[in-house]
Amino acid sequence: MNRLSPEALDGVIREFISGCGTDYGEIEVSWDEKYNRKKSGLERGPAVLLYDDETETTAIVSVHDPIMKKLGLVTE
């Protein structure tokens, strides 16, 4: 199991939010709230960082996300 330092995790979350962010629909969500939601989600369960060489973007994905199974990264 690999873990990021708190500083590295903070940087990844900040980059993720500023790069692609997350769509919360019609309700505007502050940057701090987006950060706190993403960090809380990561604290609740295991996640992985997926890096795309083509787009040079990183996604933070829960291991329980259906995409993980589709990619063959988990078997459950």
Side-chain angles (χ1 to χ4, degrees), residues 4-24:
L4 296 175
S5 69
E7 295 82 13
L9 177 60
D10 179 69
V12 168
I13 294 171
R14 290 176 183 279
E15 183 66 26
F16 177 75
I17 292 170
S18 65
C20 67
T22 51
D23 185 2
Y24 291 92

Side-chain angles (χ1 to χ4, degrees), residues 19-76:
C20 67
T22 51
D23 185 2
Y24 291 92
E26 294 181 20
I27 300 171
E28 184 65 29
V29 177
S30 73
W31 192 94
D32 287 337
E33 181 64 21
K34 290 178 187 179
Y35 178 90
N36 291 333
R37 287 183 184 183
K38 182 53 73 178
K39 188 170 183 183
S40 292
L42 292 171
E43 290 170 347
R44 284 193 303 269
V48 295
L49 301 176
L50 300 177
Y51 180 76
D52 183 335
D53 288 334
E54 277 186 35
T55 62
E56 297 182 348
T57 57
T58 300
I60 303 170
V61 182
S62 166
V63 296
H64 304 294
D65 190 303
I67 193 69
M68 297 298 290
K69 187 172 183 178
K70 187 173 183 177
L71 292 171
L73 299 174
V74 294
T75 57
E76 296 181 10

